[in-house]
Amino acid sequence: MTLWHLVARHCLLSRELDRLETEQLTPQGKVKYQFSAGGHELAQVLLALSLDHPRDAATVYYRSRPFMLASGLTAAEALAAGMARAGSPSEGRDVGVVFSMPRRSGALVLPASGDVGAQYTPAVGWAQAIRYRARTEPDWQGAIAVALGGDGSTAASGFWAALNIATTLRLPVLFFIEDNNYGISVPSLLQTPGGNIAANLAAFGNLRLLEADGADPADAADKIAQAVAHVRAEGPCLLRARVPRLAGHTFIDDQAYKTPQERADDQARDPLPRLRAHLVHLGLPAELWEKSEQKIQVEAGEAATAAEAAPEPDPAHAGRFLFFDGAPPLVGGLRPEDALPPLPTHSPPEANGPRINFLDAVRRTLETELTLNPRLVVFGEDVGAKGGVHGATLGLQRKFGADRVFDTSLSEEGIMGRAVGLALAGLLPVPEIQFRKYADPAHEQITDAGTLRWRTAGKFACPMVVRIPVGYGKKTGDPWHSVTAEAVYAHTLGWRIAFPNHAADAVGLLRTALRGDDPTFFFEHRALLDTPPGRRPYPGDDYALPFGQAATVAEGDELTVVSWGETVHRCLEAAADFAGRVTVLDLRTIIPWDAEAVIVNVRRTGKLLVAHEDTFTGGFAGEIIATVARECFTDLDAPLERLATPDLPIPYNVPMRDAVLPSVAAIRARMQALLDY
Ligand SMILES: Cc1ncc(C[n+]2csc(CCOP(=O)(O)OP(=O)(O)O)c2C)c(N)n1
């Protein structure tokens, strides 16, 4: 089949699937969300067919089905996806047009997001991985990443984060903007001044700009070929393809906000009649189009029958794939290529030697793992030449090079989205977020990363370890640098959370995280980084600690105290006054948390106090107390108690700070009250 035959075939198929859905399957209630790609087909199909390098990858959005079809998705899969059937890309877990696809005939399609604008930074991560891997693996040389998006998405922060990274580093990324002049009902004039993102980027450095009539076969083909060639040879390019949106945003959108003239103009720009004329102009027989149309109608009808015959996914399977469960993904992380160093057996720590700082424990573990694992990359703001604002990466760039330990632009969304793309390309990203509060701009990427394995029914995964200094500082507090907020991440699906309180546990938990399979937050408490309570002898280069195993740090028979992070030290100090009466458990990891240890101890002691630095309402203590209330109801001899920072930010003034943090005195008083109860 010639290229233009193929283009026609995919465009016609996409149009027919939209017709089937809008005329039959959606009104019948079989497809719940219908996003027509009418008008966008030609540009997308031409793009997909030009991505012929085995390591090319694309991030797509909900209107990208023509691109998917031209990249190897079958019609039956496409319809089954809309009908939420088994055998579709997400096995019924995600909206039918939120796609992902391991490579078939064209680009590999990275897991899409329902968040507009979230598709850009993972594409940049893939592009950076291309550069990294191409140094030693020739099969990555010449590959590119492509991100597809609408005009509305160019107003989203992810677009700018990605554009900045791609152009600053001259990465092989194509920003493919399908400008249909609307984001639902909002005209592009409200997304970018004058409505033309390409014109507005004229002064942007290191960026080739191209514009195409995405409904004109010759122009679109020419500009797409130029764009792809430029990205392969030189670096970033943004191609703005003007396309009509022939239908509403979704099936239920009647486009009442467009004038009748606008709607008529859109129809007049339909790329399909122009494609037909183009084929005739190229000398293909005129009747070929109608013949293809008929053939495709039959094919789509058969696909609909097959999709409807596909079984419903087993509801019991909804619980699978949030975390790694032993089944390696097809794409992402180190398992598909068998490159993950095995986890050492959980040997007891070597207890001899000088005590080292928490910070040195982290640095040394990173150094050991960087040496052992060539896929591991460390990055973040100031982590390169400076060695991090806390010093955790000091000297690592000098030792391992700027490809492996590098500074990033000041964009947490960029850091996290890039990490997702790097992980999908088979690297192990270890980003640092400078302070817990400054992860806020990355939240969209964090939540999407957490559900990525689940959303793709285990086909994709993005394991990574995100290091974040948290909590108040040894000199003072403040609302920006002193946040812990582990409860927010405990509620963020698909993430594990480690929260060690001394150097030995930091080594063991960080190593386990770095040899693991899931996105993991690793919290480093600021008040422990270089202070005596955080110091321990270095436990050894092979030391690893399992997640979900609490440590018993004080033993007693009358009260169980559960804590984590820096508050453990406060609990220990308070418990010293009640020797033999108070058990103190250090959870060490929040997700998973060691419910069993807590339950066993509360059954034994009959009383529980949970203490943490995170704020009170919705704090993780509530979760523990709810579990204990259920599991230990008949064993309880006192009300279940918790101590936390009240629902306030941490103040800058030191006495004021100390007044809100759970103090040793307050913990001691609460212990006393419970013991006396
Ligand atoms: C972060 C986010 N905000 C809002 C939405 C709701 N939403 C879905 S599509 C859309 C418009 C996007 O328009 P555009 O990027 O131009 O793409 P088009 O639909 O026109 O192809 C909006 C606002 C969303 N999905 N994600």
Side-chain angles (χ1 to χ4, degrees):
M1 225 188 268
T2 66
L3 169 72
W4 286 106
H5 266 100
L6 256 186
V7 173
R9 193 197 123 68
H10 292 307
C11 288
L12 283 168
L13 180 58
S14 172
R15 188 65 64 91
E16 179 60 13
L17 296 182
D18 277 336
R19 191 192 66 76
L20 269 177
E21 287 182 336
T22 49
E23 291 181 9
Q24 297 173 30
L25 300 171
T26 312
Q28 290 165 359
K30 292 173 182 161
V31 169
K32 317 283 183 216
Y33 281 117
Q34 208 283 332
F35 289 84
S36 166
H40 289 235
E41 300 98 333
L42 175 66
Q44 286 185 26
V45 168
L46 285 168
L47 174 67
L49 295 178
S50 67
L51 301 178
D52 52 6
H53 190 294
R55 301 295 187 180
D56 286 346
T59 55
V60 297
Y61 77 115
Y62 50 81
R63 216 175 293 291
S64 304
R65 193 162 67 185
F67 180 93
M68 296 298 304
L69 294 168
S71 303
L73 184 79
T74 69
E77 285 172 321
L79 293 174
M83 290 189 256
R85 296 302 169 96
S88 62
S90 83
E91 300 284 340
R93 289 157 178 246
D94 207 336
V95 174
V97 289
V98 181
F99 285 112
S100 63
M101 192 168 69
R103 181 169 192 265
R104 291 183 181 175
S105 57
L108 180 150
V109 179
L110 305 182
S113 166
D115 295 313
V116 171
Q119 68 268 43
Y120 292 109
T121 51
V124 161
W126 184 277
Q128 191 162 354
I130 291 171
R131 176 171 295 169
Y132 184 88
R133 298 197 64 170
R135 300 172 322 161
T136 53
E137 298 169 87
D139 61 319
W140 284 79
Q141 283 164 13
I144 68 172
V146 180
L148 283 71
D151 46 290
S153 74
T154 66
S157 58
F159 172 77
W160 294 99
L163 191 66
N164 239 350
I165 298 168
T167 50
T168 311
L169 302 180
R170 291 182 187 261
L171 295 173
V173 185
L174 172 58
F175 296 85
F176 190 79
I177 306 303
E178 296 162 52
D179 188 343
N180 63 20
N181 211 24
Y182 277 92
I184 308 186
S185 65
V186 180
S188 52
L189 284 172
L190 287 177
Q191 310 290 0
T192 191
N196 181 341
I197 186 69
N200 290 330
L201 288 170
F204 220 86
N206 299 342
L207 181 66
R208 174 84 190 273
L209 290 164
L210 286 165
E211 293 213 48
D213 179 346
D216 176 330
D219 189 46
D222 174 41
K223 300 289 171 41
I224 288 169
Q226 282 188 47
V228 169
H230 178 86
V231 178
R232 287 207 198 285
E234 302 194 35
C237 175
L238 181 143
L239 171 59
R240 172 180 175 244
R242 295 180 308 279
V243 293
R245 195 187 77 198
L246 300 176
H249 171 69
T250 61
F251 178 71
I252 50 168
D253 173 21
D254 63 4
Q255 307 206 74
Y257 44 85
K258 286 185 181 172
T259 64
Q261 186 60 49
E262 268 182 290
R263 291 201 290 266
D265 289 349
D266 280 345
Q267 298 304 325
R269 290 173 58 218
D270 185 344
L272 264 60
R274 293 167 81 178
L275 178 58
R276 182 183 187 280
H278 187 71
L279 297 187
V280 173
H281 175 74
L282 290 176
L284 296 175
E287 65 281 5
L288 187 77
W289 184 268
E290 280 69 26
K291 273 196 191 148
S292 299
E293 242 176 350
Q294 284 161 13
K295 224 175 107 198
I296 276 163
Q297 265 176 21
V298 174
E299 195 184 318
E302 287 168 1
T305 310
E308 286 199 63
E312 300 279 353
D314 183 346
H317 286 176
R320 282 200 71 192
F321 300 128
L322 188 62
F323 293 101
F324 176 66
D325 63 3
L330 301 172
V331 179
L334 278 61
R335 282 212 187 261
E337 297 173 271
D338 222 3
L340 188 67
L343 189 62
T345 45
H346 300 295
S347 53
E350 293 168 21
N352 300 324
R355 289 155 69 89
I356 63 167
N357 279 336
F358 188 114
L359 199 60
D360 294 322
V362 170
R363 183 169 44 232
R364 211 158 146 181
T365 308
L366 288 175
E367 189 173 343
T368 311
E369 296 295 309
L370 274 159
T371 306
L372 185 96
N373 183 355
R375 299 285 182 94
L376 197 158
V377 286
V378 171
F379 53 96
E381 293 156 17
D382 304 292
V383 307
K386 182 174 168 63
V389 296
H390 309 274
T393 55
L394 205 64
L396 296 181
Q397 186 180 71
R398 211 172 319 117
K399 179 157 183 189
F400 296 99
D403 291 332
R404 302 195 62 199
V405 180
F406 53 90
D407 288 326
T408 65
S409 49
L410 204 168
S411 165
E412 285 73 17
E413 168 155 14
I415 290 171
M416 285 303 306
R418 168 182 2 209
V420 171
L422 290 167
L424 288 168
L427 300 183
L428 174 57
V430 188
E432 173 179 306
I433 299 288
Q434 246 168 31
F435 294 90
R436 171 67 184 83
K437 175 80 178 71
Y438 303 147
D440 288 359
H443 201 66
E444 183 181 69
Q445 290 297 333
I446 288 171
T447 52
D448 286 358
T451 57
L452 186 142
R453 188 194 294 269
W454 183 91
R455 290 185 279 123
T456 61
K459 296 188 191 78
F460 288 77
C462 59
M464 65 176 80
V465 180
V466 183
R467 297 180 31 253
I468 315 183
V470 303
Y472 78 93
K474 64 180 177 185
K475 290 194 189 128
T476 186
D478 74 293
W480 314 109
H481 303 93
S482 303
V483 174
T484 48
E486 66 272 11
V488 175
Y489 290 156
H491 199 73
T492 301
L493 303 175
W495 283 87
R496 305 194 302 168
I497 308 170
F499 200 166
N501 67 59
H502 60 70
D505 281 3
V507 170
L509 292 172
L510 183 55
R511 174 156 294 106
T512 300
L514 293 171
R515 312 268 182 106
D517 295 273
D518 292 303
T520 302
F521 287 116
F522 185 80
F523 278 15
E524 300 166 8
H525 199 288
R526 292 171 59 227
L528 298 175
L529 293 179
D530 59 354
T531 54
R535 288 180 198 146
R536 291 290 183 283
Y538 181 65
D541 284 351
D542 276 335
Y543 183 54
L545 257 182
F547 276 44
Q549 270 188 26
T552 304
V553 290
E555 290 191 51
D557 299 330
E558 296 174 45
L559 167 66
T560 299
V561 175
V562 175
S563 191
W564 51 89
E566 195 272 344
T567 316
V568 172
H569 297 287
R570 294 169 178 243
C571 292
L572 277 174
E573 198 180 327
D577 284 6
F578 309 105
R581 302 179 71 192
V582 178
T583 284
V584 179
L585 294 180
D586 168 11
L587 279 192
R588 303 201 280 208
T589 63
I590 307 299
I591 301 291
W593 68 280
D594 192 348
E596 195 186 324
V598 174
I599 290 166
V600 164
N601 279 286
V602 176
R603 286 198 176 134
R604 186 172 58 79
T605 59
K607 296 176 184 177
L608 173 70
L609 168 65
V610 187
H612 58 63
E613 182 178 332
D614 194 2
T615 48
F616 189 87
T617 303
F620 201 67
E623 190 60 36
I624 296 169
I625 283 176
T627 303
V628 168
R630 184 174 187 278
E631 300 297 327
C632 309
F633 186 68
T634 53
D635 304 293
L636 295 179
D637 297 324
L640 298 166
E641 287 276 16
R642 54 183 162 149
L643 260 175
T645 297
D647 295 341
L648 294 168
I650 304 293
Y652 179 51
N653 174 278
V654 172
M656 213 189 260
R657 175 198 74 180
D658 292 344
V660 302
L661 290 171
S663 65
V664 173
I667 297 170
R668 189 184 293 119
R670 200 63 70 94
M671 286 177 176
Q672 184 73 66
L674 279 167
L675 289 169
D676 293 346
Y677 189 87

